[in-house]
Amino acid sequence: MHPPERPRSDQERWHDRHPGRRHGVSRPAEPARKAGPPLKHDPATTNALITGEHRWAAVSRFRQAGDLPGPDGGPLSSRGTDTGSAPVFLLLRRMRTPLIVLIIIFTITTLGLAVAPGETPEGEPHRIGLFNAFYVMSYTASTIGFGEIPFPFTTEQRMWMTASIYLTVIGWAYALGTLLSLLQDRGFRTALDMRRFTRRVERMREPFLLIAGYGHTGQRLGRAWDHLGRNFVAVDSEPTKIESLDVDQYFADPPGLTADASNPFNLKLAGLKNPHCEAVLALTDDDDVNLAITMTAALLRPDLPVFARTISAPVQDRMLAWGTPTVINPFDRFGDHLRMALRAPASFRLYSWLEAGPGSEQPPPSTPPADGLWIVCGYGRFGQEIVRDLLAEGLDVIVIDPDPPSDDFLAAELEIPIEQLPRLIQGDASEPEVMDEADVQSAVGFVAGTDDDTTNLSLIAAARRRNPDLYVAGRQNLPTNQSLFTAMHLDMLLVPADIVAREAYARLSTPLLWRFLEEMPQRGEDEAIDLIHRIKDRCGQFMKDVWNVELSAWEAPALAGYLDPTAVPPRQRRIRHAGQVGRVPLTIHDLFRDPDDRDDRLPVVPLMLLRDGQATIAPSDDTELHLDDELLVAGTRVAQRELHTTLLSEGTAQYVITGARMPESWIWRNLVGRRLPS
């Protein structure tokens, strides 16, 4: 048996808490730390400095320099560049001297009036006092004037008051002048605009696009997005483009920021980290800036879809290294479109009509010659893509360029033997001798692909004069020349901004549309021609809206009980579907019945049915629908609203499916009963 343990004394417990020290002896004072040498801003040594013994000295110096290192520090941190308090800080800094001058003037005049000799009505000496002097100077400085208190002033007091009035007027004039100058200061107005912009972006509570680069492409996409009733944020380095947001007639009020979009901090201000941001579009004219935007979005918001524009194949490869962005090369896309037009002209006609968006007119029938000689003028980036695509289709090609590449370089670039290379003609295509050497008279296709619009227009005119039957494709570089190219009536026209805007719109606006455009050309020309006729018969010559119809229990609650009764709780089935038990067959024809008269059909065309990941192009009207099916349809906006009513209203759904009208209100349902007609 162990003896009981002895309780420890207070001195022993003290030694346990302070090992190595003597009880009752205080710790010697530490020597005062001397200030170290001034630190140089070296990012490589920053972390070592702040974790060493001079941590607080280093942090204080960095704070003074406005560059606090740490987990959230650095030049891009919100602590280092608080845009919200910038206008207040600038106001206080500019108004500091005028306010100090006013305070000094007010203090001197108040003290002088307090000690100025006065007298009572009885002639006794009297001093106004500090409080009364402060009161008199307060209403005098504001030019109100309540008289002389508590007794009429003496001559000395009135002389002092006169000097005080002129002195305070000078002080107020100085302060007001400084304030007016500040309001007109460009830096202050920029700070106010930045504060207003950040607050508007922070308050956005609906999904929006972040469009970096508000040029021709960004403006087209912004207008189309606004037409859908959705908002966006624009960033561009040119003030005139951002100012155009105030001039354009948008339904919403999209915020815009004049700033360099390649700066990650500006993208964060524009809402990159906002949870309601649904996509980032890098649409500037600079490939390096678009690459920087793609990289920033991949690092800061890897969950966001990114759409980037480029005309350089190496930059495209560098963009694809950052996750899975959608890189749109307009030259490459135009080559793909030309190949589709050569193989399947009707499919390309339907493709271009749907991709152009609502309001676009049906393209006229056009079939590019798939056999014969093609002449390509200009062997830049665009010419390289076109020549590669034409050679892939097995066509004969002649390239005209003032500085053509060597055969070895061309063979390595096109990855074909030298014997199969296209014929190269060195010279200016606008010269008659060069045109004659290329034998334009016997050619079937002509591509004007230089980077100068005037040259392209003159080449097209010269080629048509020699061969009026040519199939002509041209490249328009500047949006301002649109009317000139329209007047030329080209068979195919490349406008890089339009190609990028249309593809981005098709991918973003309707998720199923892009899949339809990718799979439709594989279904044959007859199906494409049939769809063109059906769209024209039901919707007209101009394309109407294209949207998704999701037949899920959440998106179509009025139809869920008919499509699958087990997916709806018994209580909801009893309320919404009149207590029907079995499954009611529902076809596409039933779904598109007019809610006002079910014998009529809504002006909509089913383009694609998606079921369990399998797509069916142009499903027939007798196709039976299942729960969780998705439909891609084209139709008028009125038909879209009517179809939306069928999806949500139990009474409308019952009438459309069964022909029996069911009251919408709870009272009438109980009065007339909920049974479905047999």
Side-chain angles (χ1 to χ4, degrees), residues 73-87:
L76 301 180
S77 70
S78 58
R79 280 189 296 178
T81 51
D82 186 5
T83 58
S85 59

Side-chain angles (χ1 to χ4, degrees), residues 125-265:
H126 177 266
R127 296 188 185 280
I128 191 172
L130 192 59
F131 175 75
N132 287 334
F134 176 77
Y135 175 66
V136 171
M137 292 310 305
S138 297
Y139 65 68
T140 301
S142 59
T143 68
I144 296 175
F146 285 119
E148 300 171 350
I149 61 166
F151 307 113
F153 288 166
T154 61
T155 303
E156 293 79 1
Q157 288 176 318
R158 288 174 180 172
M159 290 178 61
W160 181 257
M161 282 298 300
T162 303
S164 300
I165 289 172
Y166 285 107
L167 201 59
T168 52
V169 167
I170 294 174
W172 278 112
Y174 174 50
L176 292 177
T178 305
L179 182 61
L180 293 177
S181 175
L182 176 63
L183 294 177
Q184 298 177 353
D185 184 79
R186 184 175 180 180
F188 183 74
R189 295 171 63 181
T190 302
L192 283 178
D193 293 341
M194 185 72 74
R195 179 184 176 85
R196 191 181 302 114
F197 172 80
T198 53
R199 287 196 170 187
R200 290 179 60 188
V201 174
E202 291 173 356
R203 291 173 181 172
M204 295 180 77
R205 295 294 182 270
E206 57 183 6
F208 66 90
L209 294 181
L210 200 167
I211 301 177
Y214 196 65
H216 184 61
T217 307
Q219 292 175 10
R220 286 206 57 178
L221 188 61
R223 294 191 190 100
W225 207 246
D226 181 74
H227 182 74
L228 294 176
R230 302 163 79 170
N231 207 348
F232 65 92
V233 177
V235 181
D236 200 287
S237 58
E238 296 188 21
T240 54
K241 295 180 180 177
I242 296 300
E243 291 171 358
S244 66
L245 287 170
D246 299 329
V247 180
D248 292 341
Q249 296 179 357
Y250 289 110
F251 295 106
D253 187 15
L257 174 66
T258 304
D260 181 10
S262 64
N263 189 336
F265 178 72

Side-chain angles (χ1 to χ4, degrees), residues 600-618:
D600 295 337
R601 179 190 171 90
L602 294 174
V604 295
V605 179
L607 300 177
M608 187 175 70
L609 171 65
L610 186 66
R611 177 180 298 164
D612 299 330
Q614 300 296 323
T616 303
I617 302 297

Side-chain angles (χ1 to χ4, degrees), residues 191-367:
L192 283 178
D193 293 341
M194 185 72 74
R195 179 184 176 85
R196 191 181 302 114
F197 172 80
T198 53
R199 287 196 170 187
R200 290 179 60 188
V201 174
E202 291 173 356
R203 291 173 181 172
M204 295 180 77
R205 295 294 182 270
E206 57 183 6
F208 66 90
L209 294 181
L210 200 167
I211 301 177
Y214 196 65
H216 184 61
T217 307
Q219 292 175 10
R220 286 206 57 178
L221 188 61
R223 294 191 190 100
W225 207 246
D226 181 74
H227 182 74
L228 294 176
R230 302 163 79 170
N231 207 348
F232 65 92
V233 177
V235 181
D236 200 287
S237 58
E238 296 188 21
T240 54
K241 295 180 180 177
I242 296 300
E243 291 171 358
S244 66
L245 287 170
D246 299 329
V247 180
D248 292 341
Q249 296 179 357
Y250 289 110
F251 295 106
D253 187 15
L257 174 66
T258 304
D260 181 10
S262 64
N263 189 336
F265 178 72
N266 294 332
L267 291 180
K268 290 168 65 178
L269 288 180
L272 178 62
K273 305 198 78 172
N274 191 313
H276 300 283
C277 180
E278 55 181 341
V280 178
L281 294 101
L283 304 178
T284 69
D285 295 332
D286 193 329
D287 284 350
D288 293 334
V289 174
N290 292 337
L291 175 61
I293 297 170
T294 304
M295 179 184 64
T296 302
L299 292 175
L300 300 184
R301 284 294 303 274
D303 58 314
L304 277 183
V306 179
F307 297 83
R309 171 192 182 277
T310 183
I311 57 174
S312 170
V315 174
Q316 180 175 351
D317 294 337
R318 295 170 64 186
M319 288 178 174
L320 293 175
W322 295 96
T324 56
T326 301
V327 182
I328 305 174
N329 186 338
F331 297 160
D332 184 34
R333 293 293 191 274
F334 186 81
D336 296 340
H337 294 173
L338 181 57
R339 294 186 66 179
M340 186 192 304
L342 290 168
R343 294 179 179 178
S347 298
F348 174 70
R349 188 179 170 202
L350 177 60
Y351 179 99
S352 56
W353 194 18
L354 289 172
E355 191 190 35
S360 58
E361 188 176 6
Q362 180 187 6
S366 177
T367 304

Side-chain angles (χ1 to χ4, degrees), residues 391-404:
L391 292 177
E393 292 299 318
L395 297 171
D396 297 330
V397 180
I398 291 180
V399 178
I400 303 176
D401 193 88
D403 187 17

